[in-house]
Amino acid sequence: MKTHYYLGWFTDFFPENLSKALREDLTERKSLVMVSSDPSDTEVDGAVERSWLDQAGISFDEYHLIDSSIERELAHTLIRNASAIFLLGGDTLKQNRFLTEYELAEPIKTSAALIMGASAGAINMAAKWQCSERFGYAVGMDTVCDGLALDPFSVLSHFDLENNMALVQEELSALSDEMNVYASNKDCALRSKGGNIDILGDVYIMSGSDIWKLEETL
């Protein structure tokens, strides 16, 4: 059963109900493989994301970071042997390009590991995402980028929805006519497990240009 966690960014640590769900879903904890969001920057090491897991009482026998310092073939081997894969937060575009450059989409999609992503990582796990200047990307032209397509929806993660709801609706209207868009702020999570969706925190769904808040189920 495929299990995917789309995380926002957590002010402190995971709330207990999210920690509990992860502990139950992570039945094997041999190897955690993290995918960098800025593969040429050695300071992007997943320390914050690891601290969330440590606080939740979740540890692994081995920890690996995939960035541009390792060979592509080794990256694929690490993913094939992973118990969990964590796409780190940070630069969504750089991570998206790195996933393409290292041809990581197929090994991640076919992996039996639990897959999670925080902020940028969550966005890149989705089918498509809106890349525009109004969402903070330094691009000359708005575009819709392809993600890993682990699930058939789009994600806007770690965005100030409360003060920018009109902007969100305007920017995502066209994409929401094509697929559901899940939008969340900090301290939120969406779990896709066996075709079912569970919600933690303030998560909204946008479909056919309409947007509404979802009830928490985690």
Side-chain angles (χ1 to χ4, degrees):
M1 182 184 298
K2 297 285 188 178
T3 304
H4 307 142
Y5 279 82
Y6 298 81
L7 308 173
W9 196 259
F10 290 84
T11 306
D12 294 309
F13 298 108
F14 291 154
E16 177 52 32
N17 45 351
L18 176 57
S19 297
K20 181 175 182 290
L22 277 165
R23 286 194 296 266
E24 291 174 352
D25 287 334
L26 279 166
T27 55
E28 182 181 289
R29 304 179 192 175
K30 293 180 180 178
S31 171
L32 174 67
V33 175
M34 298 173 288
V35 180
S36 177
S37 62
D38 192 347
S40 63
D41 187 347
T42 57
E43 292 186 6
V44 179
D45 59 2
V48 173
E49 290 91 334
R50 276 188 61 174
S51 74
W52 299 338
L53 295 170
D54 291 342
Q55 182 69 19
I58 299 170
S59 61
F60 295 82
D61 296 336
E62 300 175 5
Y63 294 85
H64 303 278
L65 175 67
I66 293 177
D67 60 16
S68 57
S69 70
I70 72 168
E71 295 293 331
R72 184 184 311 182
E73 292 73 17
L74 176 57
H76 286 213
T77 299
L78 290 172
I79 287 172
R80 283 196 300 270
N81 296 330
S83 306
I85 300 167
F86 203 146
L87 279 74
L88 301 179
D91 193 312
T92 317
L93 269 174
K94 286 183 179 179
Q95 186 178 65
N96 187 273
R97 292 168 184 151
F98 182 60
L99 291 167
T100 300
E101 177 189 350
Y102 263 53
E103 299 178 324
L104 296 179
E106 191 61 25
I108 290 176
K109 290 178 72 171
T110 57
S111 170
L114 181 147
I115 303 172
M116 50 191 154
S119 192
I123 292 169
N124 275 319
M125 285 168 57
K128 294 182 179 182
W129 54 277
Q130 181 76 14
C131 180
S132 71
E133 288 192 352
R134 297 177 76 189
F135 280 158
Y137 298 103
V139 291
M141 181 182 298
D142 293 356
T143 184
V144 175
C145 296
D146 291 327
L148 293 174
L150 302 184
D151 291 284
F153 50 69
S154 179
V155 167
L156 174 65
S157 179
H158 186 197
F159 194 77
D160 184 4
L161 298 173
E162 288 74 13
N163 296 313
N164 295 283
M165 191 61 75
L167 181 155
V168 168
Q169 288 186 268
E170 184 177 340
E171 285 290 307
L172 297 177
S173 178
L175 185 56
S176 75
D177 288 335
E178 182 181 345
M179 63 182 63
N180 288 340
V181 181
Y182 290 91
S184 65
N185 205 331
K186 295 191 299 181
D187 302 308
C188 297
L190 181 153
R191 178 178 69 178
S192 170
K193 182 177 181 179
N196 296 316
I197 302 293
D198 286 302
I199 300 298
L200 171 80
D202 295 331
V203 179
Y204 293 76
I205 186 170
M206 190 169 180
S207 180
S209 301
D210 293 326
I211 190 167
W212 65 94
K213 189 176 180 180
L214 296 168
E215 292 187 7
E216 285 193 86
T217 57
L218 270 182

